[in-house]
């Protein structure tokens, strides 16, 4: 390298100015630096909502045998607030959870009102779930959704309410002037239609308008703080959270949770660097540690000598906050700068599966029956295959990475700035007997009604993502005598209900079942949030592809009608599925006729979609005219009626002479592992329900710096590290924690060890925190 005299540099200043200008333009073109006048106040937040990692049934597949027993990676609530200075504001919360819950929403709003008055209410706060089927259940208030979790699970509920409140508080406290950019793009390989026979029942003329039988478009928002630059992104894309199967027992955010982890790590590591560079992502998992561990010694013999000096010590007491202090992302966060928040939100995913290889019979390997998704007449043998088949973790990573890559591309190229009002409309609607006006062929109109909630026989068949049991099958519009007899022992539907739900044969008349309390919802929230030319439709269920298209088109027509100058031609309308509460599926009337799983799970009868379209058009008209809307009837708060049959933790114990945190199975002495290997360590442990380690970690991989300084490298939040908890029998007081670290290709060579944090309960009820560590080992 040569150095030039200062005088020469001064003489060449125009050249340096030109180089600097070109460099700045390149940055601008790549979307890495956005220089624009802020027009909103923006704030983002994020908080841990993982909940109980043991003993609790998982929400989604309704499989009684799917009981949580560890963590794949942690769950989070992520939020953004957008406000006009001295004007309206809206809040959107994205949950790494199966869906939103009416009861959770009610209690969050109560807390926000107690803290902020009328600043945040049910009108301008949206809480949406990504639809992972690998999170703890028991947090919804209606009976049918908590049967498999043995009723209400207070820990699941509290983790969600606390986490949502805290992430909104973070976003509120982070409010600063900033700008928002929107971008769109297609992902062609992250979702397929799992009910194509139902989709094909839609009119051919309508289907001809669309290239695909699922929506392929991702819509992304890029948040740019006027001081700090990019601080986050939220996107909406439709694909189910069912890459993880119905037999998985590790808590996981599935493909969307994984994509969020990957994107946050990508940004934190490389800032606004290149996703595809060697320093950006390896094996789909962004690097973090490589740039924070300087000067690692690469002499293998010396590394082995260092490792040999750190044998596994006995487990020892620890403080409650130790696992929080050792968190990887906690160590990386800049205290004076908002952390980057990325959310991959759900949309109209009702009939969209991430298992893109198709559905096949497990006994023959042949494709399943097209109309009924059966194999020899049995639904239990028909399973969808993800791109990593037969490895569900690999399928989760791949589908997550495909969403990540598109999101990063949209983030880096976003240039359309949101401008205009922040506004919202919200109403509660009783969908059990709502009158809906429909146009008649040949002119005129007719009035039809929705029905009290009911589920059809096809519901019990499940889907190709998670088949049901017994002799149920999708596409059953008749039912059978035996299951009708069983149904009638619970509740016999009346003729009016049977006629209203036709052609759905009713298996469970949930809308008319009230003991011990309501089995299904009837009063549902609908909501529109507006930020400039972006409009978010908050729907409390899973709309199928075509149902979502019809709703979006209907709302957009209202927004653009009559030469409305409040919205220009590039208005962006997105559906936020599973938002504010949950009411299962919404299909088109033609799909409903087919009575596959989605149609059989459309609760309020064949006119459910028409009812949504009618009511959302009213909200859209009020939004454009500036008029208010009727709030509607309040949904019930059933917290005091909840029943829980989940047994509490009585106590934890170890064999005589063994401490909590002791290694039960350590790494062999003088071990050396290569990248791509799996390191497995087993500790004597205690039930994870004793302390959820919220914003902390049960598992930790540490790397040695110097001779005695251990630095956190990977934890519960990392895709490559799995925490598995087990006990020899359900009533046993003894348990083990198994840590499995799949060493990523991006891991640095060096000396490592694996640690475990936990909390044990004594017979008298006191909680004692502990920690343990493995012997050190070398990674080359």
């Amino acid at each position: 390298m040569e150095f030039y005299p200062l005088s020469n540099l001064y003489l060449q200043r125009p050249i340096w100015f030109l180089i600097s200008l070109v460099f700045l333009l390149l940055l601008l073109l790549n979307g890495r630096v956005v220089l624009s006048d802020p027009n909103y106040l923006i704030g983002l937040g994020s908080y841990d909502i993982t909940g109980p990692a043991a003993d609790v049934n998982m929400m989604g597949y309704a499989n009684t045998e799917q009981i949580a027993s560890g963590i794949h990676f942690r769950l989070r609530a992520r939020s953004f607030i957008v406000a006009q200075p001295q004007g309206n504001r809206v809040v959107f919360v994205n949950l790494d959870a199966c869906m939103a819950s009416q009861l959770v929403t009610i209690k969050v709003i109560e807390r926000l009102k107690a803290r902020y008055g009328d600043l945040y209410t049910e009108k301008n706060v949206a809480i949406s779930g990504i639809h992972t089927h690998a999170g703890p259940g028991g947090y919804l208030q209606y009976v049918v959704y908590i049967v498999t979790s043995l009723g209400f699970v207070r820990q699941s509920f509290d983790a969600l309410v606390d986490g949502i409140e805290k992430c909104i508080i973070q976003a509120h406290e982070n409010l600063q002037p900033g700008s928002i950019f929107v971008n769109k793009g297609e992902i062609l390989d992250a979702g397929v239609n799992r009910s194509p026979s139902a989709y094909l029942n839609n009119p051919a003329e309508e289907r001809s308008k669309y290239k695909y039988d699922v929506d392929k478009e991702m819509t992304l928002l890029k948040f740019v703080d006027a001081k700090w630059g990019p601080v986050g992104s939220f996107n909406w894309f439709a694909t189910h959270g069912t890459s993880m199967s119905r037999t998985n027992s590790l808590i996981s955010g599935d493909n969307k949770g994984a994509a969020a982890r990957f994107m946050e790590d990508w940004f934190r590591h490389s800032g606004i660097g290149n996703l595809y560079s060697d320093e950006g992502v390896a094996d789909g998992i962004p690097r973090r540690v490589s740039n924070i561990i300087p000067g690692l010694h690469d002499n293998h013999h010396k590394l082995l000598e260092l490792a040999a000096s750190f044998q596994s010590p006995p487990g020892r007491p620890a403080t409650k906050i130790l696992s929080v202090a050792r968190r990887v992302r906690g160590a990386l966060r800049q205290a004076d700068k908002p952390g980057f928040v990325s959310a991959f939100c759900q949309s109209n995913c009702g009939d969209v599966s991430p298992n893109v290889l198709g559905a096949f019979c497990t006994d023959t390997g042949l494709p399943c029956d097209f109309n009924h998704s059966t194999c020899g007449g049995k639904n239990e043998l028909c399973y969808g295959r993800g791109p990593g088949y037969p490895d569900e973790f690999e399928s989760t990573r791949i589908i997550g990475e495909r969403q990540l890559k598109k999101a990063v591309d949209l983030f880096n190229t976003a240039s359309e700035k949101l401008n205009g009002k922040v506004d919202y409309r919200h109403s509660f609607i009783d969908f059990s007997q709502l009158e809906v006006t429909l146009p008649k062929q040949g002119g005129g109109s007719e009035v039809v009604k929705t029905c009290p909630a009911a589920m059809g026989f096809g519901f019990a068949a499940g889907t190709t993502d998670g088949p049901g049991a017994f002799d149920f099958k999708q596409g059953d519009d008749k039912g059978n005598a035996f299951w009708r007899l069983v149904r009638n022992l619970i509740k016999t539907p009346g003729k009016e209900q049977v006629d209203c739900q036709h052609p759905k044969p009713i298996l469970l008349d949930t809308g008319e079942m009230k003991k011990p309390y309501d089995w299904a919802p009837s009063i549902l929230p609908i909501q529109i949030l507006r930020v400039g030319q972006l409009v978010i439709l908050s729907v409390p269920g899973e709309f199928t592809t075509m149902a979502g298209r019809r709703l979006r088109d209907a709302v957009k027509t209202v927004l653009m009608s009559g030469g409305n100058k409040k919205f220009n031609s590039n208005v962006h309308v997105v559906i936020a599925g599973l938002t504010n509460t949950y009411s299962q599926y919404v299909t088109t009337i033609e799909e409903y006729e087919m009575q596959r799983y989605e149609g059989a799970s459309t609760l309020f009868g064949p006119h459910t979609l028409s009812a949504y379209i009618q009511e959302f058009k009213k909200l859209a008209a009020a939004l454009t005219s500036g008029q208010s809307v009727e709030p509607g009837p309040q949904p019930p708060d059933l917290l005091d009626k909840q029943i829980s049959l989940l047994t509490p933790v009585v106590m934890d114990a170890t064999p005589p002479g063994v401490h909590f945190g002791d290694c039960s199975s350590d790494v062999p002495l003088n071990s050396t592992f290569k990248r791509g290997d799996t390191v497995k360590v087993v500790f004597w442990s205690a039930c994870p329900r004793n302390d959820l380690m919220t914003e902390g970690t049960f598992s930790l991989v540490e790397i040695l710096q110097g001779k005695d300084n251990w630095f956190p490298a990977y934890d519960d939040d990392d895709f490559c590290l799995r925490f598995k908890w087990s006990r020899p029998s359900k009533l046993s007081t003894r348990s083990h924690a198994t840590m499995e670290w799949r060493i990523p290709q991006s891991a640095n060579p060096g000396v490592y060890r694996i640690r475990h944090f936990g909390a044990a309960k004594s017979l008298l009820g006191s909680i004692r925190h502990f920690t343990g560590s493995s012997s050190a080992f070398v990674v080359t």
Side-chain angles (χ1 to χ4, degrees):
M1 181 179 290
E2 296 180 272
F3 293 91
Y4 294 94
L6 211 58
S7 58
N8 286 357
L9 185 61
Y10 179 82
L11 292 172
Q12 298 176 50
R13 186 167 54 186
I15 297 174
W16 285 105
F17 175 78
L18 183 60
I19 292 172
S20 300
L21 183 61
V22 171
F23 179 70
L24 180 61
L25 287 172
L26 286 172
L27 287 176
L28 288 168
L29 287 172
N30 281 317
R32 289 172 166 78
V33 174
V34 180
L35 301 178
S36 60
D37 294 329
N39 51 339
Y40 299 114
L41 298 176
I42 61 171
L44 289 86
S46 175
Y47 203 81
D48 188 350
I49 56 168
T50 302
D55 299 332
V56 175
N57 184 254
M58 289 183 165
M59 183 63 198
Y61 287 116
N63 176 14
T64 57
E65 297 179 358
Q66 190 188 14
I67 306 298
S69 60
I71 296 175
H72 178 208
F73 58 89
R74 285 190 167 264
L75 311 180
R76 300 196 72 80
R78 298 172 170 91
S79 64
F80 72 73
I81 299 176
V82 181
Q84 287 182 291
Q86 312 303 318
N88 290 332
R89 62 184 59 201
V90 294
V91 182
F92 189 90
V93 182
N94 191 61
L95 304 178
D96 286 346
C98 195
M99 68 280 290
S101 155
Q102 184 65 74
L103 188 58
V104 168
T105 301
I106 288 171
K107 296 307 175 184
V108 168
I109 297 301
E110 285 180 0
R111 291 193 185 185
L112 293 176
K113 286 183 177 179
R115 180 179 291 268
Y116 298 112
D118 290 331
L119 196 60
Y120 304 113
T121 70
E122 67 273 358
K123 296 179 181 180
N124 66 343
V125 175
I127 302 172
S128 182
I130 63 171
H131 210 37
T132 175
H133 287 43
Y139 61 91
L140 288 89
Q141 69 172 352
Y142 298 106
V143 173
V144 75
Y145 306 129
I146 56 176
V147 169
T148 58
S149 61
L150 301 178
F152 188 68
V153 180
R154 187 77 199 206
Q155 276 190 316
S156 299
F157 175 79
D158 286 343
L160 281 165
V161 175
D162 292 345
I164 295 168
E165 179 193 24
K166 286 182 169 63
C167 82
I168 293 175
I169 291 171
Q170 280 185 23
H172 177 85
E173 293 178 348
N174 285 336
L175 280 170
Q176 294 291 335
S179 302
I180 308 168
F181 297 82
V182 63
N183 204 358
K184 291 182 176 182
E186 286 188 340
I187 309 175
L188 300 181
D189 53 1
V192 295
N193 197 305
R194 69 184 187 188
S195 287
S197 60
Y199 180 87
L200 288 172
N201 205 44
N202 291 307
E205 181 181 0
E206 181 180 34
R207 287 186 282 112
S208 68
K209 298 177 183 177
Y210 304 99
K211 187 175 181 180
Y212 305 105
D213 61 0
V214 296
D215 285 341
K216 301 287 189 179
E217 189 171 72
M218 172 184 280
T219 300
L220 177 137
L221 297 183
K222 176 178 182 176
F223 294 87
V224 182
D225 187 289
K227 178 180 179 182
W228 296 111
V231 289
S233 72
F234 276 58
N235 68 70
W236 290 264
F237 175 76
T239 194
H240 248 77
T242 48
S243 293
M244 302 296 290
S245 74
R246 68 193 298 274
T247 59
N248 163 63
S249 64
L250 301 185
I251 288 176
S252 173
D254 210 277
N255 56 71
K256 286 188 175 290
R261 292 294 182 284
F262 297 163
M263 188 159 184
E264 289 175 348
D265 286 344
W266 161 75
F267 188 87
R268 284 172 181 144
H269 169 74
S270 57
I272 37 186
N274 185 355
L275 172 67
Y276 305 105
S277 73
D278 291 338
E279 293 298 316
V281 169
D283 297 336
I285 301 173
R287 291 187 175 192
R288 284 196 325 278
V289 181
S290 57
N291 279 6
I292 25 175
I293 310 293
L296 286 170
H297 208 295
D298 59 0
N299 184 297
H300 184 231
H301 178 71
K302 289 186 177 180
L303 291 178
L304 280 173
E305 286 184 348
L306 270 176
S309 64
F310 294 96
Q311 300 302 306
S312 175
R316 57 185 173 83
T319 61
K320 179 178 175 64
I321 64 169
L322 183 59
S323 79
V324 177
R326 298 300 293 171
R327 277 187 68 235
V328 172
R329 286 159 184 80
L332 290 176
R333 188 177 299 120
Q334 297 180 27
D336 61 341
K337 179 181 179 180
F340 185 85
V341 178
S342 179
F344 285 68
C345 311
Q346 196 52 271
S347 191
N348 53 318
C349 68
D351 53 359
V352 188
S353 170
N355 297 311
V356 294
L357 298 185
F360 296 87
C361 299
T362 56
D363 56 345
T364 65
L366 298 174
C368 305
D369 174 81
F370 183 75
N371 290 316
H372 301 289
S373 298
T374 54
C375 300
K378 296 182 178 181
N379 69 76
E380 301 100 313
L381 302 177
C382 178
Y383 277 91
R385 295 179 180 177
Y389 175 83
D391 186 341
E392 62 190 300
F393 294 94
E394 183 67 2
S395 291
T396 299
R397 183 193 67 79
I398 293 170
I399 296 296
E401 186 184 79
R402 289 173 181 177
Q403 293 175 77
L404 162 74
K405 287 184 176 180
K406 177 53 62 175
V408 169
D409 177 55
L410 296 177
F411 181 86
N412 281 336
T413 59
S415 59
E416 180 186 340
K417 186 177 178 182
L418 295 186
N419 288 290
K421 291 181 62 176
V422 173
D423 209 348
Y424 49 85
R425 292 295 183 275
H426 175 284
S427 186
F428 289 111
I429 306 293
D430 188 342
F431 275 80
S432 65
Q433 288 183 320
L434 181 65
E435 291 188 347
V436 183
T437 302
L438 299 177
K440 293 176 66 174
Q441 286 188 347
S445 62
E446 63 175 333
V447 177
V448 297
K449 279 189 175 183
T450 56
C451 327
M455 297 189 291
F457 278 67
F459 156 79
T463 71
T464 56
D465 292 333
F470 305 110
D471 55 350
F472 295 102
K473 63 180 180 181
Q474 296 193 67
D476 184 356
D477 60 359
K478 298 291 190 294
N480 67 59
F482 173 76
W483 289 111
R484 282 198 182 89
L485 178 62
V486 174
R487 172 201 68 190
N488 291 344
L489 293 175
I490 304 172
K491 171 71 172 67
T492 304
K495 183 180 184 303
E496 182 180 356
Q497 173 74 326
V498 170
D499 292 342
C500 185
Q501 291 279 352
H502 183 78
K504 177 198 293 176
I506 297 173
L507 177 63
L508 287 173
D509 190 16
T510 52
E512 298 182 317
M513 296 164 65
K514 304 294 181 182
K515 293 181 180 179
Y517 46 89
D518 292 0
W519 278 57
S522 58
I523 298 171
L524 301 176
I526 61 170
Q527 180 186 53
I528 296 181
L529 305 181
R530 176 193 176 184
V531 180
Q533 63 269 33
L534 176 79
V535 173
I536 302 171
L537 310 181
S538 301
V539 301
E542 303 174 61
F543 278 56
T544 60
T545 298
M546 193 64 84
R549 288 168 176 171
R550 290 184 189 178
L551 177 63
R552 284 197 304 261
D553 289 347
V555 169
K556 191 169 184 177
T557 298
V558 173
L559 297 177
M560 302 299 297
S561 65
N564 194 328
K565 295 183 179 179
K566 293 186 178 181
F567 290 92
N568 53 33
S569 59
N570 67 333
V571 60
H572 306 282
V573 180
V574 298
I575 289 175
L578 308 114
T579 300
N580 294 328
T581 189
Y582 184 63
S583 59
Q584 293 174 248
Y585 284 75
V586 180
T587 66
T588 67
I589 191 169
E590 295 86 358
E591 293 165 345
Y592 185 90
E593 290 171 353
M594 299 298 290
Q595 279 301 294
R596 283 182 60 87
Y597 176 83
E598 295 81 14
S601 304
T602 296
L603 294 185
F604 305 105
H607 304 296
T608 300
L609 175 59
S610 297
Y612 273 103
I613 289 174
Q614 171 182 281
E615 299 305 313
F616 265 101
K617 286 171 71 174
K618 292 177 183 177
L619 292 191
L623 189 73
T624 57
S625 66
Q627 300 297 310
S628 61
V629 294
E630 290 295 323
Q634 287 290 316
D637 178 345
L638 302 176
L639 181 59
D640 293 338
K641 296 185 177 183
Q642 296 301 311
I643 298 170
S644 178
L645 302 178
L646 180 67
T647 55
V649 180
V650 178
M651 67 171 292
D652 298 283
T654 58
V658 174
H659 302 89
F660 290 108
D662 281 1
C663 263
S664 170
S665 177
D666 198 3
V667 294
L669 292 177
N670 300 316
S671 291
T672 297
F673 298 92
K674 303 185 301 294
R675 283 169 278 196
D677 289 345
T678 297
V679 184
K680 181 178 177 180
V681 180
V682 183
F683 296 92
W684 284 100
S685 190
C687 184
R689 291 162 60 196
N690 296 327
D691 188 326
L692 306 184
M693 298 296 174
T694 301
E695 287 293 351
T697 187
F698 288 104
S699 54
L700 182 68
V701 175
E702 295 179 319
I703 186 170
L704 184 66
Q705 269 189 295
K707 292 186 177 181
D708 57 3
N709 185 22
W710 291 98
F711 191 92
Y714 303 92
D715 62 17
D716 279 356
D717 259 337
D718 281 286
F719 201 87
C720 62
L721 181 61
R722 299 175 196 170
F723 160 59
K724 298 180 178 181
W725 181 80
S726 62
R727 55 160 75 100
S729 65
K730 188 172 183 179
L731 298 179
S732 176
T733 59
R734 298 178 181 179
S735 63
H736 286 100
T738 301
M739 311 302 174
E740 293 181 358
W741 181 38
R742 286 155 178 77
I743 305 174
Q745 295 299 323
S746 56
N748 280 308
V751 176
Y752 288 85
R753 71 179 182 185
I754 294 177
R755 291 185 68 181
H756 171 41
F757 299 93
K761 185 177 183 181
S762 72
L763 186 58
L764 298 178
S766 62
I767 302 295
R768 295 167 294 164
H769 290 79
F770 63 87
T771 185
S773 64
S774 72
S775 298
F777 53 91
V778 173
V779 172
T780 59

